[in-house]
Amino acid sequence: APKRAEPPPFIKFVIVIVMARRSSRKQHRGDEEKSSSSSESSEMMGSEKLNDGEFMNSASSKNDLVVVKDQSDGDDSESGDSDSGDEQMEDNANQTHEPMKGSDDVDSTNSEDNDSDDEDQGAASKTGDSPPPISKSWAALTTHSPCYTGGTVAFSHAPSMTTTVASPSEDLPSAQHYILAQRGGDVSIIEASTGLLLRTLRKGKMYQGGHDLSTDYNENDDEDSEDEDMMDAEAITAFALSPNNIDVVAVTRSHLVRRYSLAAPDAAEKNLMDGKETKDKSSPKSVTSVTDPAKVAFSFGKSGHSLPVTKVAFHPSGIFFATGSVDGLVKIWDVRNGYATHALHPTSSSDGGSGRGRYTVTCLEWRPTATSLILAIGREDGSISIHDLLLNAHDTKKASLPVAVLRDHLSAVTCVAWASDVGGSKNSTGAAVSSPGARKQHGGGVFFSSGRDSVINTWLISEEDTKEVNGPKRKKKKASKDDSGQQQLVSIKVSYRRIRTMPIYEQVEGMVLLPHKFRPASKTKDQKAILDKKNIVLATCGTKGIVRLWKATPGDKDGSILDVISELSPLAAQNGDEAFGEENGGYTSLHLTSLSTTHLSPMLVAIDSEHNMTFLRAHWNGDGGATLGFYTDRAIVGHNGEILDLSVIPHVGNSDDCDKHTVAIATNSSQVRIFGLGEAKEDEIGGNTQNHSALSPRGMLDGHTAIVLSIDASPCGRYLATASKDKTMRLWHVTSQICVAVATGHTEAIGSVALSNKVGCYDVGGKAAENGAGAFAVTASKDRTLKIWPLPGTTVLNRWAQGQDGENPLDARLSARAHEKDINIVSVAPNDSLIATGSQDKQVKLWRSTDLSLHGTLKGHKRGVWDCQFSTHDRVLATASGDRTLKLWSIADCSCVRTFQGHMAGVLRVRFLGTGSQLLSSGSDGLIKLWTIRTNECESTMDGHDDKIWALDLSRCGTALFSGGADSKITVWRDTTKEKDDAVRAAEEQNIAMEQKLSNHLRHKQYEEALEIALQLEKPHQVLRVLIDIVEKDTKSSRGIETLKGHVAKWSPDRLRQMLKYSREWNTRARNSHIAMLVLKAVVTTIPATKLASYEGVTAILAGIAPYAERHFDRLDRMVGDSYLLDFTLFSMGSLHGSNNEDYSKWTERSKYVLPPKEAEGKIQIGGSLIVGGKTNRVDNKGSSDDEDIITIGDSDTDVSSDDS
């Protein structure tokens, strides 16, 4: 029977659209019916869901949300076999969720009544304020990774400083703002505005798409491993940033000196270091946007130091840099030529400075002028060597000797600074010196030095002319003749004389000279009297943890030495509340920078012993005030240590701030850190600003004397409870960050704390609160006891927060021995009626909060229980255990309802998501898993940590997930289910539209347009069909492959690689090899071989095509050779049929050359004859001659002859 013709492609498309619309309308009716029924059931259940005092009593009612009881053993029990219980729990738990499968069978009588409700729900879903009904994917929004572990810190230079000899091009990204800091054996590149770790010098981008890419730093790594030893050999011990903000010179532990380029690799190669104009005028890629590791632009080889290099300093010109080592040697390097020019050895103080010493270099500082080469070297013995490389350049013997050695410090010298506008050239008696023949390249002025001997010394720089009779004959710089006619050489003698010593009473770790732009402008008379433009201002910090400002007033240059500059006097000091403090370890360094979150405003950056970077700005207190102070602009936390616990602090009464969260974090310290998640602005450069979500420090709670182990925030967001190893629990007022109450009574460390969850109870005070009607805190300790501490109410707590009564004690109302082993977790039910405790004894116990009587015991875990959480929608409890499982328990009968398996290590934390239909869990394997309770399946796995995840918490609105672990990282996750679904839907719609376009082009034989669409859709079969049509079309028009060549000329390298990959696959089959070879021919004849070889991956693809191409050519060669046998056979036979009386010579003249067999639609054509199915048949067409007989090769004609007869 003839086949029915297929409809055109566009008819198929219309049919598919119609069927899809019918299905969607049917599903929509089912949704409305399900929504109506679920809303009615929720109204019926609303009166008895989580009412006060009914959490456990109503669990046994007929409408109990969990009626599935596990009849098997509790260890491995799973109640997923009961479909009726699953459906009932899902119906009640997912009232706002999508309907279950099979909802189409529900009666649709109430669907029309709920049209308005469905429209409202649809409008609400479009706003994006609420999470999707069923979450399936989460992505990392931001990650706070450890970016600084101690050592050198460098800030990108201001734009005015980048236009130097080494960076003449205006196209260099000099206006980028970033921070370089040592991170283990690597250097991290930190975004200045947000404090986020972008990448490292050696490893590149550290974090991408929720996956940690860092492998170089881990506190728990084995120090004895071979990989660690190899890593240590390449660990960076010191580095310095060039003034061009592009080059970084780093020295490794193996004494290799390398110059890295922070720009894009291809752009960095075009930026020459010799001051010549570059041919490529395009600006290089931004330093902060590059994700690859920094490229080694040049290697200087071994440093020549015998001990590790600890200091590297660039000259302001960017042409030279100095390296200082523990062995006391300082070497000067030429960046352009790549070799060391000077070796500056320390001088010993025992022999008057003529011998060599061995003292660690603690300070390296160039004089901040690009036209001089003056270097100050501070060492651990308290000496300072001043070297002027240009002053003694004419004498090679004196080139490496210091022009002055200062030995007035009694301890290590940490910082030095020059003030060039003060003083002048004076001789040893204090008289001013003025010589027109003297070279002023060293310059006069005042020199400041500070050290760990708690003093700041002020030095006066003086220059004196000296004359040498019969001086060196070569390279004479300045020669004159005296009265006797002898030739004399004029030289300069430089001396530094200490004129002031100011005691600071703390070990000075950082000292900087503040230029005028770093000072607050003095507008009023009182302000000018305190701070004048001519004053010299110094900023210092040290072991006391306070940043201070000092000022000195320049005097008469023509007066005595003491009149040159006044004593340093205090100008301003950091507030005690904002200062880091001596008890915390003090500050370790002080820097000047022009980085800001809103504009290019100069600031001070103080780095403390806990690796925090605090940005300070000096300002006048009050409007027109006459006192100076410091304002803390922001802070960057370099290293948090191990994250033990965290809690999201809810926002009170403002639903618009759902994307701005505050989180309290407990690290392995006695302090609790407060972080805020919000939008951080990049620095405004060229009028462009960008916003990024980032975690920024908001404060610190300091009061415990030991490590804080647990944190919990009140539902009202006003209070925070912390438990510590110091056996105390503290209650904090979040707004004022003041400890308002302390609970003491446990005999061991408190491992967990929880606050009551009813918001209204926090307003209850007086006797009612003492009797248990108000809010309370619950603590569980290592002493295996459980205690309840009533809170006095908001009125009393606010009074305590004002500091009127100091720290107030809390009294325990109830206490009980809860477990036989350590208690790991304590949790309070949503209505405060029950308390759950999990212990190392593998049990979870439920306690009544009114009298701490035991309600029930949950047994089933095979190892200790690390976490337990009540559901806010169902009467169930979720537990996480070290046996790698999660369990869901019924509160009514203490039976196991669900068991979730999937973690590869112990499960540490669990949280309910949304309406209680899903779970989030974190484990020791560093993974976070998303579970759907109804299906018992893991919907998604998030990989953002590389160590145990101890802390996990959700925001109240469910839009943000916070996780922290032993890897010192804090990751913020957001739900991306809706975005991914929208992206998939958009991709499907686009795919359908492109498919329709492709069908239309093929139907209209527009093969050129069809080819591009098929390539865009990445459909090799469609591409093959289009190419066959194009080749046949060109063959008929005798154009060869001209059309194909035209397409090849337009293809990009990516498109070319795509086509060659397709050709490689086609070439594996004989029937498609012809098209593959034609594509390859068009490619090699259109694109030059050198250009084709330069494309990445093309060589490997061609190597895969060659073997099959050789095989196909061998097959064709054999076929051509075999065809000659057929010619010989036909020649020998003379004639095929006896009835043919024609002369054989005429037949040979009329015959054609035997071509290779060609199969088309099941027919084989040989030599102009047609063979069908391998049988001998005769075509009995009217008007046909005997020459049109159909022959069969290799088959007998017995059957045919019999049939003919």
Side-chain angles (χ1 to χ4, degrees):
K3 294 183 179 180
R4 180 179 299 176
E6 291 187 6
F10 74 95
I11 297 297
K12 291 182 178 180
F13 176 75
V14 172
I15 295 174
V16 170
I17 294 299
V18 171
M19 296 299 294
R21 289 182 177 178
R22 289 181 179 177
S23 177
S24 64
R25 284 198 296 268
K26 185 177 180 182
Q27 182 69 21
H28 183 63
R29 289 195 299 269
D31 293 348
E32 294 175 344
E33 296 158 3
K34 188 65 179 180
S35 171
S36 175
S37 61
S38 62
S39 61
E40 292 176 0
S41 63
S42 63
E43 291 177 0
M44 296 173 58
M45 296 296 298
S47 59
E48 57 181 309
K49 285 187 71 177
L50 303 181
N51 290 335
D52 297 346
E54 298 181 2
F55 188 86
M56 54 184 179
N57 296 330
S58 63
S60 58
S61 62
K62 294 182 180 180
N63 293 325
D64 189 3
L65 299 184
V66 181
V67 297
V68 183
K69 184 176 180 180
D70 187 17
Q71 303 294 338
S72 61
D73 185 43
D75 290 347
D76 299 315
S77 61
E78 295 183 15
S79 58
D81 298 331
S82 178
D83 296 333
S84 61
D86 295 345
E87 294 176 357
Q88 182 174 358
M89 182 174 65
E90 184 69 8
D91 291 343
N92 294 305
N94 301 335
Q95 295 176 10
T96 60
H97 286 205
E98 294 179 1
M100 296 182 297
K101 294 181 180 179
S103 61
D104 296 342
D105 299 333
V106 182
D107 187 15
S108 61
T109 57
N110 298 327
S111 60
E112 297 179 358
D113 298 336
N114 295 326
D115 289 342
S116 60
D117 297 338
D118 293 335
E119 292 176 0
D120 296 339
Q121 292 178 2
S125 63
K126 290 180 180 179
T127 58
D129 294 337
S130 60
I134 295 296
S135 178
K136 294 185 178 180
S137 63
W138 289 67
L141 177 63
T142 181
T143 300
H144 190 282
S145 301
C147 57
Y148 175 55
T149 58
T152 308
V153 177
F155 297 83
S156 59
H157 304 287
S160 60
M161 298 179 60
T162 59
T163 307
T164 59
V165 178
S167 59
S169 177
E170 297 179 357
D171 294 331
L172 291 178
S174 59
Q176 301 156 4
H177 296 320
Y178 54 88
I179 305 171
L180 301 181
Q182 281 192 268
R183 182 181 186 268
D186 208 338
V187 177
S188 59
I189 302 174
I190 308 168
E191 189 177 11
S193 58
T194 61
L196 295 178
L197 175 62
L198 301 175
R199 58 179 173 129
T200 63
L201 202 66
R202 296 165 52 198
K203 298 297 180 182
K205 192 170 185 178
M206 305 300 297
Y207 189 82
Q208 183 176 7
H211 297 275
D212 181 38
L213 307 177
S214 61
T215 56
D216 63 325
Y217 176 75
N218 190 347
E219 289 182 342
N220 300 323
D221 283 347
D222 187 5
E223 297 291 340
D224 298 330
S225 64
E226 296 180 1
D227 295 339
E228 188 73 17
D229 293 338
M230 293 298 294
M231 188 68 68
D232 287 341
E234 295 297 323
I236 296 174
T237 59
F239 71 92
L241 178 64
S242 175
N244 64 4
N245 284 345
I246 296 292
D247 299 320
V248 174
V249 169
V251 186
T252 66
R253 192 179 297 275
S254 58
H255 305 290
L256 290 176
V257 183
R258 297 189 178 110
R259 176 168 61 86
Y260 292 88
S261 178
L262 299 181
D266 54 341
E269 294 175 355
K270 300 174 183 178
N271 292 325
L272 302 178
M273 296 298 298
D274 56 357
K276 296 181 180 180
E277 290 290 334
T278 59
K279 296 181 180 180
D280 187 7
K281 296 298 181 181
S282 60
S283 59
K285 199 173 182 180
S286 171
V287 172
T288 56
S289 63
V290 178
T291 58
D292 298 329
K295 181 183 178 182
V296 179
F298 185 79
S299 180
F300 295 86
K302 290 287 186 177
S303 64
H305 295 277
S306 58
L307 293 177
V309 176
T310 57
K311 298 290 180 181
V312 181
F314 254 103
H315 187 262
S317 65
I319 301 176
F320 301 97
F321 68 92
T323 58
S325 172
V326 178
D327 58 8
L329 175 65
V330 175
K331 301 190 76 173
I332 311 299
W333 301 80
D334 190 338
V335 176
R336 296 175 299 181
N337 298 317
Y339 57 81
T341 60
H342 297 77
L344 311 179
H345 295 273
T347 56
S348 176
S349 59
S350 59
D351 52 2
S354 59
R356 291 184 179 181
R358 186 184 180 89
Y359 304 105
T360 302
V361 176
T362 58
C363 175
L364 273 181
E365 188 72 27
W366 293 90
R367 188 160 188 170
T369 56
T371 57
S372 64
L373 288 175
I374 302 173
L375 177 66
I377 305 172
R379 292 188 169 87
E380 195 173 7
D381 62 343
S383 65
I384 304 174
S385 301
I386 309 296
H387 293 263
D388 193 336
L389 305 181
L390 293 180
L391 188 63
N392 296 319
H394 63 279
D395 192 348
T396 56
K397 294 182 179 179
K398 296 182 179 180
S400 299
L401 296 179
V403 296
V405 179
L406 317 180
R407 303 186 182 277
D408 285 14
H409 283 282
L410 302 178
S411 185
V413 178
T414 55
C415 299
V416 296
W418 278 274
S420 302
D421 298 335
V422 182
S425 298
K426 296 180 180 293
N427 56 22
S428 59
T429 62
V433 176
S434 178
S435 176
R439 295 184 305 166
K440 300 298 182 183
Q441 61 185 23
H442 190 90
V446 177
F447 180 74
F448 296 95
S449 63
S450 62
R452 296 194 177 103
D453 54 359
S454 304
V455 298
I456 297 178
N457 288 332
T458 304
W459 309 78
L460 180 64
I461 305 174
S462 62
E463 298 180 358
E464 296 182 8
D465 297 341
T466 60
K467 297 182 180 180
E468 297 180 7
V469 180
N470 295 328
K473 295 182 181 180
R474 51 194 176 98
K475 296 184 181 179
K476 296 179 182 179
K477 297 298 180 183
K478 190 69 176 179
S480 61
K481 292 185 179 181
D482 57 3
D483 297 338
S484 60
Q486 286 184 318
Q487 192 174 17
Q488 299 176 347
L489 181 66
V490 179
S491 61
I492 297 176
K493 180 181 179 181
V494 180
S495 62
Y496 284 67
R497 183 175 180 181
R498 180 170 58 88
I499 58 176
R500 302 284 186 187
T501 298
M502 181 65 185
I504 303 299
Y505 303 107
E506 69 170 339
Q507 296 182 11
V508 181
E509 298 293 339
M511 181 187 70
V512 292
L513 184 67
L514 264 66
H516 290 286
K517 68 176 182 178
F518 283 83
R519 310 177 194 175
S522 301
K523 299 180 180 179
T524 64
K525 248 184 213 183
D526 296 336
Q527 293 177 354
K528 292 181 180 179
I530 296 174
L531 181 59
D532 194 36
K533 290 184 178 181
K534 63 180 181 179
N535 292 337
I536 297 176
V537 181
L538 289 175
T540 62
C541 69
T543 54
K544 288 189 176 181
I546 301 176
V547 178
R548 296 187 175 119
L549 291 182
W550 309 82
K551 75 170 183 177
T553 304
D556 187 7
K557 296 183 180 180
D558 297 330
S560 63
I561 293 179
L562 296 178
D563 294 336
V564 172
I565 192 171
S566 65
E567 286 277 2
L568 290 172
S569 59
L571 182 61
Q574 196 177 8
N575 189 5
D577 297 336
E578 297 182 355
F580 187 70
E582 185 177 6
E583 63 278 2
N584 297 324
Y587 291 115
T588 58
S589 61
L590 190 65
H591 305 268
L592 289 176
T593 181
S594 295
L595 310 182
S596 176
T597 56
T598 55
H599 54 85
L600 300 177
S601 176
M603 285 183 293
L604 281 169
V605 182
I607 301 176
D608 55 49
S609 59
E610 293 188 358
H611 316 310
N612 303 318
M613 305 178 192
T614 305
F615 290 75
L616 304 172
R617 184 182 291 113
H619 70 103
W620 294 103
N621 294 324
D623 189 8
T627 57
L628 271 175
F630 284 102
Y631 167 75
T632 302
D633 183 82
R634 58 197 170 94
I636 295 176
V637 178
H639 193 270
N640 281 312
E642 187 173 359
I643 308 296
L644 301 181
D645 197 11
L646 62 83
S647 178
V648 179
I649 302 174
H651 286 274
V652 182
N654 190 1
S655 59
D656 296 336
D657 294 337
C658 197
D659 293 335
K660 298 180 181 179
H661 308 281
T662 304
V663 58
I665 297 174
T667 63
N668 52 351
S669 68
S670 60
Q671 298 171 340
V672 177
R673 296 178 178 178
I674 308 297
F675 284 84
L677 177 64
E679 291 184 349
K681 290 185 178 180
E682 277 190 353
D683 298 326
E684 293 183 355
I685 302 174
N688 297 324
T689 58
Q690 292 181 352
N691 296 334
H692 301 275
S693 296
L695 284 172
S696 59
R698 299 288 176 84
M700 187 177 296
L701 307 181
D702 191 3
H704 286 285
T705 58
I707 295 176
V708 178
L709 299 176
S710 179
I711 301 177
D712 191 27
S714 64
C716 61
R718 290 175 291 185
Y719 308 107
L720 192 71
T722 58
S724 170
K725 280 187 175 181
D726 60 4
K727 309 173 188 177
T728 64
M729 185 273 294
R730 288 179 176 266
L731 187 68
W732 305 82
H733 191 264
V734 174
T735 304
S736 60
Q737 298 184 1
I738 295 176
C739 179
V740 296
V742 181
T744 57
H746 285 285
T747 59
E748 296 291 342
I750 302 177
S752 181
V753 63
L755 291 173
S756 56
N757 289 319
K758 294 175 66 175
V759 179
C761 292
Y762 285 85
D763 296 329
V764 178
K767 291 294 183 181
E770 295 177 2
N771 296 331
F776 59 87
V778 186
T779 57
S781 172
K782 193 177 179 181
D783 59 10
R784 305 169 189 175
T785 61
L786 183 69
K787 293 181 183 292
I788 295 181
W789 313 81
L791 303 181
T794 303
T795 304
V796 179
L797 292 176
N798 289 340
R799 188 178 71 248
W800 290 353
Q802 297 175 2
Q804 298 178 3
D805 300 330
E807 294 182 353
N808 301 273
L810 294 177
D811 297 327
R813 184 173 67 88
L814 296 171
S815 181
R817 183 179 177 86
H819 291 270
E820 296 301 323
K821 291 186 178 181
D822 296 349
I823 303 174
N824 294 329
I825 188 66
V826 61
S827 180
V828 180
N831 63 349
D832 298 345
S833 61
L834 289 179
I835 298 172
T837 56
S839 171
Q840 287 295 112
D841 60 5
K842 312 173 188 177
Q843 297 179 1
V844 177
K845 293 186 178 182
L846 300 178
W847 309 84
R848 296 181 178 90
S849 61
T850 55
D851 55 359
L852 277 187
S853 60
L854 185 63
H855 171 70
T857 302
L858 310 181
K859 297 181 180 180
H861 283 293
K862 299 179 180 180
R863 291 192 178 182
V865 178
W866 285 106
D867 195 14
C868 59
Q869 289 292 322
F870 289 93
S871 173
T872 58
H873 290 73
D874 298 334
R875 296 170 182 87
V876 292
L877 178 77
T879 58
S881 171
D883 59 3
R884 308 179 185 179
T885 64
L886 295 161
K887 287 184 181 293
L888 200 66
W889 307 82
S890 170
I891 302 298
D893 50 10
C894 300
S895 62
C896 181
V897 179
R898 284 281 193 276
T899 298
F900 302 90
Q901 297 179 348
H903 280 280
M904 303 302 295
V907 187
L908 302 177
R909 288 292 181 265
V910 61
R911 290 292 184 272
F912 281 94
L913 177 63
T915 55
S917 62
Q918 291 183 292
L919 290 174
L920 283 163
S921 63
S922 64
S924 299
D925 51 6
L927 301 177
I928 300 175
K929 290 184 177 291
L930 175 64
W931 308 86
T932 298
I933 295 177
R934 179 175 178 250
T935 61
N936 234 55
E937 293 181 355
C938 178
E939 297 288 349
S940 176
T941 299
M942 294 164 271
D943 185 6
H945 295 268
D946 52 8
D947 210 335
K948 299 181 180 67
I949 303 178
W950 289 110
L952 188 73
D953 200 11
L954 271 166
S955 62
R956 294 288 177 175
C957 54
T959 58
L961 173 67
F962 294 80
S963 63
D967 54 359
S968 184
K969 289 196 297 187
I970 307 169
T971 304
V972 184
W973 308 83
R974 66 182 183 91
D975 194 344
T976 59
T977 304
K978 186 177 182 302
E979 289 83 348
K980 286 194 173 182
D981 291 344
D982 293 342
V984 171
R985 190 178 299 108
E988 290 177 353
E989 293 176 356
Q990 184 181 6
N991 191 27
I992 292 174
M994 296 295 288
E995 288 277 2
Q996 183 60 37
K997 288 183 179 179
L998 178 61
S999 301
N1000 294 338
H1001 288 311
L1002 290 176
R1003 185 161 57 90
H1004 294 290
K1005 297 183 179 181
Q1006 298 173 351
Y1007 301 119
E1008 290 77 7
E1009 294 81 358
L1011 178 61
E1012 295 300 328
I1013 295 178
L1015 288 173
Q1016 187 176 354
L1017 292 175
E1018 296 182 355
K1019 298 198 174 205
H1021 182 67
Q1022 294 286 354
V1023 174
L1024 180 62
R1025 288 179 53 191
V1026 174
L1027 287 176
I1028 292 174
D1029 294 336
I1030 291 176
V1031 171
E1032 290 181 355
K1033 180 181 177 182
D1034 289 349
T1035 303
K1036 292 178 181 179
S1037 59
S1038 303
R1039 295 181 57 190
I1041 55 173
E1042 295 299 327
T1043 304
L1044 193 56
K1045 286 184 178 180
H1047 284 282
V1048 171
K1050 300 176 184 178
W1051 285 343
S1052 63
D1054 294 335
R1055 186 72 74 200
L1056 182 64
R1057 279 190 291 268
Q1058 179 185 1
M1059 276 301 305
L1060 289 177
K1061 288 180 181 179
Y1062 290 168
S1063 300
R1064 182 178 59 186
E1065 298 299 326
W1066 299 336
N1067 197 40
T1068 58
R1069 305 189 67 177
R1071 65 180 182 181
N1072 299 330
S1073 61
H1074 180 60
I1075 297 298
M1077 291 297 101
L1078 289 179
V1079 172
L1080 185 61
K1081 179 180 179 182
V1083 170
V1084 298
T1085 56
T1086 305
I1087 303 176
T1090 56
K1091 185 177 180 180
L1092 190 63
S1094 64
Y1095 292 156
E1096 183 181 1
V1098 171
T1099 304
I1101 298 174
L1102 294 178
I1105 295 177
Y1108 283 96
E1110 293 177 358
R1111 184 181 303 177
H1112 295 318
F1113 284 126
D1114 292 342
R1115 177 176 55 82
L1116 293 176
D1117 186 63
R1118 290 194 302 270
M1119 183 180 296
V1120 172
D1122 295 341
S1123 66
Y1124 287 100
L1125 178 62
L1126 182 60
D1127 287 341
F1128 176 76
T1129 303
L1130 295 176
F1131 180 79
S1132 301
M1133 293 173 61
S1135 177
L1136 292 177
H1137 299 86
S1139 59
N1140 189 358
N1141 297 324
E1142 294 181 359
D1143 187 44
Y1144 180 69
S1145 59
K1146 296 182 180 180
W1147 177 85
T1148 55
E1149 293 177 358
R1150 195 174 53 195
S1151 299
K1152 297 181 180 179
Y1153 184 79
V1154 178
L1155 299 176
K1158 180 179 179 182
E1159 182 178 358
E1161 299 181 357
K1163 302 175 183 179
I1164 303 176
Q1165 181 179 2
I1166 298 180
S1169 299
L1170 190 64
I1171 299 103
V1172 182
K1175 298 292 183 179
T1176 303
N1177 297 310
R1178 184 179 299 275
V1179 180
D1180 297 331
N1181 295 329
K1182 295 180 179 181
S1184 61
S1185 62
D1186 295 338
D1187 298 335
E1188 297 179 352
D1189 292 344
I1190 300 175
I1191 63 173
T1192 300
I1193 298 177
D1195 290 340
S1196 174
D1197 58 352
T1198 305
D1199 298 335
V1200 177
S1201 61
S1202 62
D1203 293 340
D1204 294 340
S1205 63

